[in-house]
Structure formats: structure tokens, C-alpha cells
Amino acid sequence: MTVLVTGGTGYIGSHTVVELLENKIKVIVIDNFTNSKREVVDRIKKITGKDFIFYEKDVCDKEALRKIFQKHSIDAVIHFAGYKAVGESVKDPLKYYQNNLFSTIQLLQVMDEADCRKLVFSSSATVYGNPKTLPIKEDFPLSTTNPYGTTKWMIEQILRDVERSNSNWSIAILRYFNPIGAHPSGLLGEDPNGIPNNLMPYIMKVANHELGTLNVFGNDYNTKDGTGVRDYIHVVDLAKGHLKALDKIAKTTGVDAYNLGTGIGYSVLEMIHTFEKVNGVKINYRITDRRPGDIDACYADASYAEKELGWKAEKSLEDMCRDAYHYIVQNKK
Ligand code: UD1
């Protein structure tokens, strides 16, 4: 089987390419390094001892996509490529709608021309907005709070319409909860430039003395200790979910959405204390105001993915904290 991976050098994409190669799947990656580093290509090869085809191209470049589909016989696509910074999407919504929607539409058109109609799409738990009850099930009402989330929601609707127009399509929509951690080799992980927006990258930079103090955004939420609760999932577990989704779409047609989470919610303070304990480091923090738009708690009912895909997250919060710290120490600047 040959799989085209868009955004295959990004955080989740790179871990997924490793899993694909380790499962003897032929991989073609397209990425333009907008939010990733060139060295990731060699690092994937180093971890797996396997080669893959790489194109430095933009998914918005339709001619480039066409040429790739003409040159190779592609069985399925995993589509990660897209912008993902929530704050930036609020400031520059058109950049997000232009890039995330346009690239996906082009990709779907070229896939259709090439008679390749099997797709795994990278969505997010952000499409559930502020859920009324927990845990979150796939059939909960969808709503979004920022343009980034709206692009994910819109693409989900586009995919459903496309499948409705031609029942040969087979599409798995994967709704990720909060991916963290890194490859146990220390060669792949998440290392955003500048000041991170998300909790775990921020904790990693404080642990590594790149930043002084973590701001804990509010301790008056309706949760066990007042700080926000989220469903953190190890990026390697998440990557494995894509292989299970590929198996599923190989055997079926239609479109369906699956939550990829652990089903367990941890608070910000639990995250800090687990990270400290596992790695023997101190994380300085202070309680500050809430971050606008944040919700109390968000965690998955992950039973549908287990039933339908035969997938379940296996790694613990300790594994996530250990691998995240290993990565940042190993890649000290
Ligand atoms: C964020 C995105 C969401 C995306 C998800 C993917 C925002 C507003 N939302 O979700 O769209 O799908 O990542 O991983 O960015 N926190 C702190 N201090 C910090 C950073 C975070 O206390 O410096 C707290 C937050 O208030 C929250 C928890 O940590 O309670 C997790 O925050 P974060 O890692 O940013 O993820 P989400 O907000 O869940």
C-alpha cells in the first residue's frame, strides 16, 4: 500500500510517518516546512532505517499535486497539512480560511481525478466547542469558538458533502484531543518557535530554563482543583490511530468521525506535578487570570474508536511527561 501524507514533517505527521514505515507501508510526504524543520526528514529515516519519497511542495499547488498523483499509484491520503494556531487565526482569519480550505479542496479534486478516494482527515476536539456534558461523544452538537476551529468544522462538512456526491469515497475524520509527548528516541517532538500557546510546550521550556514561570490560566474553573481539565494523549498513540483508520477505510466506504483521546481528564496542576515527579525537575508557576475562550473541562468518550477501529491509547501520563522532557533535553539549543 502507498500512502500520501500531507504535512508529514509536522508534529503529528512525522510520528505517523514513522508508524507507517515501521508497518511496511510505502510513504510519500508532501510538506513545505511552514511549521516544521528540514531535519525531520532525516530523523524519520534514522528512527525507522527506511526511506520514503519527499516533495517540498505546498498542498495549495494543484499542478504539483497532480504530478505526484500521475507519477505514483497512491492508495490513500492522510491529510495533516494546515495552519493550527488559534490566536493567529483570530487575528488573521482569512489566512486560515484561504489556506486550510483551499488546500483541502484542491487535494480532494486531484484525488477524485486520480480515482483515489480514501482519506484520513486530521480534525480536532475543538469542533465540539464548549460541550454541555462529559465525556464527549462523536454525535454531540458541533460548534466552534475561533476561525481555526471553524476551518476544521467546515472541512468536516465538505467531506460529508463530497461523500454524499459519490459513494465510492471512504473517509475517516479523526478528532484529536490534546496531543503531547514525543518520540521515545528523542528525535521527533514539538518545539514551537517563540513563546508557546499550549500547556505542555510551555512546561517543557520552563523545565529547560528557556522560560521562567508558567502562567496557570485560572484556578476557579468548575473542576477537581479549579484548573482546566483536558484529555492529553501521547502523540505516538495518536499516530497509531491513523494506521487503524487506514485499515478501516481500506475495507469500507462512507464517512465517519472518531474521537482519539484517552478518556481521562487531567488538570493543569496535575500536569505540572506529574511532570515534576517523573523528571525530577521544578516547574515554577503562578496562578493568573483565565485565558479568554478556555473551557472548564474537555475529555473524550473514546469507546467508538475502540469498537470501530480496534484502537485504544496505551501510554500513560508519565510516559507523555518523560518523553516530552527527553526530547527537549536531547535537543537543547
Ligand atoms: C488548544 C487549542 C485547541 C486545539 C488544542 C490542540 C487554544 C485556545 N485551543 O486547546 O483549539 O485543538 O490546543 O492541542 O489554544 N494553560 C495554562 N497555561 C498555559 C497554557 C495553557 O494554564 O500557558 C491551560 C489552559 O487554560 C487549559 C490547559 O492548560 O486549561 C490546556 O491548554 P492548551 O494546551 O492550550 O490546550 P487547549 O486549550 O485545550
Side-chain angles (χ1 to χ4, degrees):
M1 174 153 79
T2 301
V3 175
L4 174 69
V5 182
T6 74
T9 62
Y11 174 48
I12 305 171
S14 59
H15 287 84
T16 303
V17 173
V18 166
E19 294 301 319
L20 292 168
L21 293 171
E22 285 181 343
N23 283 276
K24 303 189 171 48
I25 293 171
K26 272 182 68 184
V27 177
I28 301 167
V29 169
I30 163 164
D31 205 310
N32 62 358
F33 299 116
T34 299
N35 195 21
S36 61
K37 300 204 174 87
R38 277 165 205 283
E39 66 199 29
V40 168
V41 174
D42 289 330
R43 288 180 171 209
I44 294 172
K45 292 179 184 172
K46 193 169 167 190
I47 292 170
T48 60
K50 300 212 168 84
D51 206 356
F52 63 93
I53 297 166
F54 179 78
Y55 289 99
E56 185 175 346
K57 293 286 177 196
D58 190 325
V59 185
C60 291
D61 180 347
K62 196 171 189 176
E63 270 320 300
L65 277 181
R66 273 204 182 106
K67 282 192 185 131
I68 294 171
F69 275 88
Q70 278 158 8
K71 188 154 181 218
H72 307 278
S73 168
I74 295 169
D75 300 297
V77 176
I78 308 181
H79 181 36
F80 292 105
Y83 294 151
K84 61 169 191 177
V86 173
E88 186 189 40
S89 80
V90 175
K91 288 198 195 85
D92 197 350
L94 295 179
K95 176 176 169 179
Y96 274 67
Y97 291 119
Q98 156 80 24
N99 184 68
N100 292 4
L101 299 181
F102 190 57
S103 58
T104 307
I105 291 167
Q106 306 259 54
L107 176 66
L108 292 167
Q109 286 170 333
V110 174
M111 286 177 70
D112 199 44
E113 284 169 16
D115 278 329
C116 171
R117 296 191 186 84
K118 297 202 178 292
L119 176 73
V120 177
F121 175 62
S122 195
S123 189
S124 165
T126 193
V127 298
Y128 295 114
N130 194 349
K132 286 204 173 64
T133 58
L134 292 165
I136 297 171
K137 286 177 180 287
E138 286 82 354
D139 60 1
F140 274 24
L142 305 182
S143 70
T144 57
T145 54
N146 57 74
Y148 155 74
T150 309
T151 67
K152 293 293 180 192
W153 176 82
M154 285 178 163
I155 293 169
E156 290 200 9
Q157 307 314 308
I158 291 171
L159 295 176
R160 290 183 190 278
D161 286 341
V162 164
E163 189 275 335
R164 220 169 276 135
S165 75
N166 180 342
S167 58
N168 290 320
W169 280 92
S170 183
I171 301 171
I173 294 168
L174 303 183
R175 295 181 181 147
Y176 312 146
F177 281 68
N178 290 54
I180 61 166
H183 195 268
S185 63
L187 291 170
L188 300 175
E190 190 177 24
D191 189 8
N193 292 327
I195 300 188
N197 298 310
N198 300 113
L199 180 63
M200 183 50 93
Y202 207 111
I203 292 180
M204 288 157 71
K205 291 207 180 217
V206 172
N208 204 30
H209 308 293
E210 289 174 53
L211 292 170
T213 305
L214 167 74
N215 292 319
V216 174
F217 297 143
N219 64 351
D220 57 353
Y221 283 103
N222 183 19
T223 60
K224 44 190 149 187
D225 59 21
T227 65
V229 165
R230 298 290 184 275
D231 184 339
Y232 297 94
I233 172 168
H234 197 296
V235 64
V236 171
D237 274 337
L238 193 68
K240 289 182 174 161
H242 294 74
L243 273 80
K244 296 289 190 183
L246 276 180
D247 285 347
K248 179 80 180 179
I249 60 170
K251 291 185 287 220
T252 50
T253 54
V255 53
D256 214 350
Y258 308 91
N259 286 342
L260 296 190
T262 64
I264 306 167
Y266 289 106
S267 73
V268 176
L269 293 181
E270 284 175 324
M271 296 298 289
I272 296 171
H273 296 137
T274 307
F275 194 95
E276 289 182 327
K277 195 168 109 221
V278 168
N279 297 311
V281 293
K282 178 100 193 75
I283 304 297
N284 292 320
Y285 69 89
R286 63 174 164 245
I287 308 291
T288 62
D289 288 346
R290 290 183 175 200
R291 178 171 66 179
D294 273 354
I295 57 176
D296 302 71
C298 169
Y299 52 89
D301 178 333
S303 60
Y304 191 62
E306 184 172 2
K307 180 169 156 263
E308 290 294 317
L309 305 179
W311 172 89
K312 196 174 188 298
E314 284 165 358
K315 291 181 182 271
S316 66
L317 184 61
E318 283 74 14
D319 296 326
M320 302 180 213
C321 290
R322 187 181 316 107
D323 291 338
Y325 188 56
H326 181 219
Y327 174 74
I328 195 109
V329 169
Q330 194 98 328
N331 294 279
K332 244 187 167 79
K333 285 167 196 137

